[in-house]
Amino acid sequence: TDVIALVEEIRKGEPLITTSCKEHVVHLVRRLQEKLGEQEDHKFYLFKVLRAHILPLTNVAFNKSGSRFITGSYDRTCKVWDTASGEELHTLEGHRNVVYAIAFNNPYGDKIATGSFDKTCKLWSTETGKCYHTFRGHTAEIVCLSFNLQSTLVATGSMDTTAKLWDIEKGEEIVTLSGHSAEIIALSFNTTGDRIITGSFDHTVAVWEVVTGRMLHTLIGHRGEISSAQFNWDCSLIVTGSMDKTCMLWNAMTGAHIATLTGHSDEILDVCFDYAGQRIATASADGSGRVYNAETKKCIAKLEGHGGEISKICFNPKGNRILTASSDKTARLWDAATGHCLQILEGHTDEIFSCAFNYKGNTIITGSKDNTCRIWH
């Protein structure tokens, strides 16, 4: 693409880009071109095995830069780790039951939220490990949580059929999202932070207005429990995965059903968009993954080779690689365009249920039922 012409075109429709910052935008677009043009044959090697907890892990998550990551566990704690050294920085103690859902407030990364089977959510300082707030109000286990991108709110989803939004600064509940008739097991803010979706065992996904807590749409169509739900980056689409073996695509503004992505022979356990929102990846209990084009709704690649169910799937930030975690004790790296398996990450002695890339895409963490976490460079 002719960068100057592109930037001129962007300027026409975007009054914020004045003459004074045009050069900077040109520079950024050129950098993006370079990045996209880089040939990548990065092989990952095991860097460290962390005997993270005395009981099984529940989840792992990176901060944006990948300099820190966190692990949640059945041992009732969340631990903060330094990625470069593999050192444990803090143990976040205080929950009275399993720490199940964990997250950094990316892109900032200065706060951590933990959701527990003790029905509370706690907010912590990444730097000091001290607890800022304990959010109380749910009447059953918290199983999912998420910060909005603006880092002003944290949302929690619970087995009590409700989700709650909490004010990070004040430490207070803002609103309760009531309307589902069964457990909420997935939730996701859109990037602008004005909408949130909740996925439930009642087979539906609800779209809520954040400010008022009003339910705007109910996405009805799945014939099984929802396993996963996500917005694409520009907030125009929602993708949902279900135990009914299908994945569905919805218009985020109207709630209209756009397409049903079929092909899996067993439950879909995870779905995700790439950052650009051009591709959708699905992970299934049938042991395979699939990649679909969000525009054409066609399956463009099949990820075949795992010897057990795939519980987690994610794109690297660049969108050209996919990472999968399986009950066959391995994680695999795939070419997103062709579906070729590029690498098998072996060594865990029990199923892997969690995996993540850092933002640069050059570090991976895998979390396993073998109580360890592995860092791969």
Side-chain angles (χ1 to χ4, degrees):
T1 310
D2 178 338
V3 174
I4 306 292
L6 176 67
V7 172
E8 271 311 317
E9 203 169 310
I10 293 170
R11 271 189 68 190
K12 278 181 202 155
E14 182 48 80
L16 289 174
I17 301 176
T18 54
T19 316
S20 59
C21 63
K22 181 183 148 182
E23 276 313 301
H24 187 54
V25 177
V26 169
H27 168 69
L28 290 174
V29 174
R30 287 213 169 107
R31 267 186 56 198
L32 180 61
Q33 270 188 337
E34 277 164 34
K35 274 265 177 254
L36 291 170
E38 281 169 12
Q39 280 313 306
E40 243 189 284
D41 289 315
H42 188 82
K43 267 270 184 283
F44 287 89
Y45 295 97
L46 180 65
F47 166 63
K48 267 223 155 109
V49 179
L50 306 179
R51 312 233 159 258
H53 294 269
I54 50 172
L55 288 172
L57 283 81
T58 53
N59 267 307
V60 298
F62 269 117
N63 66 353
K64 183 171 172 177
S65 70
S67 62
R68 306 256 187 281
F69 69 92
I70 47 179
T71 53
S73 170
Y74 281 86
D75 70 8
R76 306 179 175 193
T77 71
C78 172
K79 291 190 177 188
V80 187
W81 306 84
D82 179 88
T83 314
S85 65
E87 265 181 90
E88 182 185 316
L89 299 174
H90 301 293
T91 299
L92 310 181
E93 291 178 291
H95 281 297
R96 300 185 170 179
N97 208 327
V98 176
V99 173
Y100 193 74
I102 56 176
F104 277 102
N105 64 331
N106 290 339
Y108 307 100
D110 62 325
K111 295 184 181 73
I112 293 162
T114 54
S116 169
F117 286 2
D118 70 8
K119 309 172 194 171
T120 73
C121 169
K122 288 178 183 282
L123 188 71
W124 313 78
S125 159
T126 303
E127 285 317 302
T128 65
K130 90 174 181 47
C131 181
Y132 291 124
H133 302 297
T134 300
F135 299 126
R136 293 186 172 85
H138 280 297
T139 56
E141 295 88 339
I142 292 174
V143 289
C144 51
L145 58 75
S146 179
F147 284 96
N148 62 351
L149 211 52
Q150 295 71 26
S151 196
T152 54
L153 301 175
V154 67
T156 53
S158 168
M159 304 294 269
D160 67 12
T161 78
T162 73
K164 288 177 185 284
L165 303 181
W166 312 84
D167 183 301
I168 286 175
E169 280 308 303
K170 297 185 181 134
E172 296 167 1
E173 180 183 321
I174 303 268
V175 73
T176 296
L177 310 179
S178 306
H180 283 294
S181 58
E183 300 90 331
I184 291 175
I185 56 96
L187 49 77
S188 167
F189 279 100
N190 65 357
T191 45
T192 50
D194 61 339
R195 301 275 185 274
I196 186 167
I197 48 176
T198 52
S200 168
F201 278 179
D202 67 12
H203 306 186
T204 73
V205 171
V207 184
W208 312 80
E209 189 174 50
V210 168
V211 178
T212 60
R214 212 160 51 92
M215 192 193 284
L216 299 174
H217 308 292
T218 308
L219 311 183
I220 299 172
H222 280 297
R223 298 178 171 201
E225 298 168 355
I226 304 295
S227 58
S228 181
Q230 209 188 38
F231 280 98
N232 66 344
W233 185 257
D234 74 2
C235 315
S236 62
L237 297 174
I238 292 166
V239 69
T240 56
S242 166
M243 300 301 181
D244 68 9
K245 310 178 191 173
T246 74
C247 168
M248 290 188 180
L249 205 54
W250 312 79
N251 179 314
M253 295 316 294
T254 64
H257 173 267
I258 297 171
T260 301
L261 310 179
T262 58
H264 283 294
S265 59
D266 206 341
E267 302 172 342
I268 290 185
L269 303 176
D270 197 24
V271 295
C272 65
F273 280 106
D274 65 357
Y275 273 83
Q278 294 167 344
R279 291 178 181 161
I280 295 158
T282 56
S284 170
D286 67 15
S288 78
R290 281 173 177 247
V291 187
Y292 297 87
N293 179 313
E295 190 72 31
T296 65
K297 332 290 187 275
K298 296 267 183 292
C299 177
I300 50 177
K302 293 179 186 174
L303 314 180
E304 292 172 330
H306 275 300
E309 67 176 33
I310 303 173
S311 59
K312 265 285 181 295
I313 192 161
C314 59
F315 285 91
N316 65 346
K318 199 163 149 184
N320 63 337
R321 299 284 179 264
I322 291 173
L323 179 63
T324 52
S326 169
S327 62
D328 70 6
K329 307 176 189 173
T330 73
R332 286 181 182 234
L333 195 66
W334 312 80
D335 184 303
T338 63
H340 288 313
C341 179
L342 301 172
Q343 207 183 336
I344 302 175
L345 305 182
E346 296 178 289
H348 279 294
T349 57
D350 205 339
E351 70 180 79
I352 303 174
F353 54 80
S354 198
C355 59
F357 278 104
N358 65 337
Y359 189 71
K360 257 194 176 162
N362 61 359
T363 306
I364 287 170
I365 39 175
T366 52
S368 163
K369 270 201 178 156
D370 65 12
N371 296 13
T372 74
C373 200
R374 287 174 177 242
I375 306 174
W376 313 79
H377 282 327

